[in-house]
Amino acid sequence: MDNDLLYVELKNILMRNIYDGTYAVGQPLPSERTLSEVYGLSRVTVRKTLQVLADEGVIRKKTGFGNIVSFERGSHPGKLDQVALVAPAQRTFFSLFLDHFQRIADAAGALVFFIQQSERERIEDTLFRLLLHGIHNCVIWLDYKMLDPVYIERLRALGMNMVFFDIPVSTPYADSVFLDNMDAISSLCQYLEDNGRPPLAYVSRENTAPTSFFEREHAFSSMNPHSVILHIPWFHTGYLSEHMDRFILDTLYPAHRPGSLLCSDGEIGVALKKALQYHEIDDILIAGIDDFPEAEELSLTVYRQPYDLFAQQVFDCLATQNTSKDWQAGTYRIKGELVIR
């Protein structure tokens, strides 16, 4: 048991050194002798550690160089028996996806963990901690978080299979599954043009760093180059309740008097509709992306996100990453459905 614990400890140390860049991809690890001396371990324990890392594809022997840090963009063979879903918060949008994903995973015999991302830790470090605990399959919802592509590459080299959900991420080291934002905006613009009054305006978050929101705003501006785009302050928590009244009274009126509003997401759509009703403003037609439970009660026309299709595609991506030697990162844009109310 003691020897097993020592080998696991050394393995984790070497993995952390690869993750933090001490040993870069393509560079050699210290020799067996050096590792034995530095960490006070027997050559047998060191050799076992290196063999396990080699078996997992993290390192490989290269004549004249010893054990070098390997890197394979292809699949990391393994069982899809455990999946971690990592997100900054379990908000309504992610909860709806999680429910569908849980059912698909259950049917396949996979155990799903929900990990709420800490504000005090980078999401890449959270993924690395999961890797040290033997979790090799992760679904990540970034929300407003940003990524360091260097660490995503290192996580892939260490054996992490990853799928980014909802927000398009351009990386050769993970799949990305998200809404067809162009189709969503196009469908909603057509509905508002046919049923609303001009002028048409677009309402989104002030911070468009999450690329789904950037894509939607860009799609709207390209289709409606002369329409106004309005932003609501975005503070990640409580921003709607704190700022919606001010937005309506100071920005929407009297500066702008749109006849139709397209909302970038369900939270804004529901909150804006409620606030307009509170102020007895009933001459603006509102539509938006996301079909949240309150949307039907408020008679909001929405572009419904297909959570069942998202969940199936995400699971299929992980399955491919676990089995296909020819895997290459894919981008999957999935169309939703216009729900008219």
Side-chain angles (χ1 to χ4, degrees):
M1 176 63 71
D2 290 342
N3 287 337
D4 286 343
L5 291 176
L6 289 172
Y7 118 76
V8 171
E9 183 177 348
L10 178 58
K11 178 190 174 189
N12 288 347
I13 289 172
L14 294 177
M15 287 180 66
R16 183 170 293 280
N17 286 337
I18 294 171
Y19 176 70
D20 66 23
T22 301
Y23 308 132
V25 172
Q27 292 185 347
L29 297 183
S31 65
E32 288 185 11
R33 178 178 178 180
T34 300
L35 290 173
S36 178
E37 293 174 352
V38 169
Y39 296 105
L41 300 172
S42 70
R43 294 285 287 273
V44 172
T45 300
V46 171
R47 195 170 296 120
K48 178 178 180 180
T49 303
L50 296 174
Q51 185 59 55
V52 170
L53 290 173
D55 291 342
E56 293 179 357
V58 176
I59 63 174
R60 62 183 175 84
K61 282 191 174 296
K62 185 175 181 181
T63 304
F65 290 89
N67 293 293
I68 67 168
V69 179
S70 183
F71 179 72
E72 296 292 340
R73 290 188 184 180
S75 65
H76 291 296
K79 295 188 299 181
L80 188 52
D81 56 349
Q82 297 182 2
V83 182
L85 272 64
V86 182
Q90 193 172 344
R91 296 215 307 266
T92 302
F93 171 81
F94 189 74
S95 297
L96 291 169
F97 166 76
L98 194 151
D99 289 342
H100 287 277
F101 189 83
Q102 183 76 64
R103 287 195 288 270
I104 291 172
D106 286 345
L111 184 63
V112 175
F113 302 89
F114 171 67
I115 307 295
Q116 182 160 331
Q117 172 65 31
S118 170
E119 289 291 336
R120 299 182 301 274
E121 183 177 52
R122 295 185 314 167
I123 199 162
E124 297 92 334
D125 295 340
T126 298
L127 296 175
F128 179 70
R129 285 195 297 106
L130 291 171
L131 197 59
L132 291 182
H133 285 85
I135 307 298
H136 288 260
N137 297 289
C138 284
V139 180
I140 304 111
W141 182 46
L142 292 173
D143 197 14
Y144 56 86
K145 295 284 187 179
M146 302 300 289
L147 287 171
D148 186 333
V150 171
Y151 287 92
I152 297 303
E153 177 185 7
R154 292 171 185 169
L155 286 165
R156 186 78 199 172
L158 288 167
M160 178 70 83
N161 294 314
M162 295 170 284
V163 180
F164 290 99
F165 165 63
D166 179 48
I167 295 177
V169 177
S170 180
T171 172
Y173 312 121
D175 291 311
S176 190
V177 178
F178 53 95
L179 185 68
D180 187 330
N181 291 304
M182 182 65 75
D183 185 69
I185 296 299
S186 175
S187 299
L188 289 168
C189 283
Q190 188 63 55
Y191 165 77
L192 291 170
E193 182 180 328
D194 293 342
N195 298 277
R197 295 185 301 104
L200 170 63
Y202 183 79
V203 183
S204 186
R205 313 179 188 207
E206 187 175 66
N207 179 4
T208 57
T211 51
S212 281
F213 292 100
F214 179 83
E215 276 198 355
R216 293 169 192 176
E217 187 168 315
H218 178 73
F220 179 84
S221 63
S222 65
M223 296 176 198
N224 305 276
H226 303 297
S227 293
V228 67
I229 295 177
L230 306 173
H231 293 108
I232 295 176
W234 172 241
F235 296 103
H236 311 315
T237 57
Y239 76 105
L240 290 175
S241 59
E242 294 173 7
H243 297 278
M244 190 58 75
D245 283 344
R246 189 187 312 164
F247 169 76
I248 289 175
L249 298 176
D250 296 347
T251 302
L252 205 61
Y253 286 88
H256 305 281
R257 294 186 65 87
S260 306
L261 286 174
L262 197 165
C263 299
S264 64
D265 63 87
E267 288 177 301
I268 288 180
V270 167
L272 185 55
K273 179 74 172 184
K274 284 182 176 179
L276 288 173
Q277 287 181 342
Y278 175 79
H279 290 284
E280 298 182 343
I281 300 172
D282 58 5
D283 59 346
I284 300 177
L285 182 61
I286 302 177
I289 295 174
D290 295 332
D291 189 16
F292 288 172
E294 291 178 290
E296 185 172 3
E297 299 172 17
L298 294 167
S299 298
L300 267 177
T301 289
V302 297
Y303 189 89
R304 178 183 291 159
Q305 302 223 42
Y307 297 103
D308 55 339
L309 300 181
F310 286 152
Q312 187 62 64
Q313 184 61 66
V314 168
F315 195 84
D316 289 347
C317 284
L318 285 176
T320 301
Q321 289 186 41
N322 274 271
T323 57
S324 175
K325 292 182 179 180
D326 299 324
W327 173 84
Q328 290 185 339
T331 297
Y332 301 88
R333 298 175 183 271
I334 299 180
K335 287 181 170 57
E337 172 191 10
L338 183 66
V339 180
I340 299 175
R341 297 190 174 103

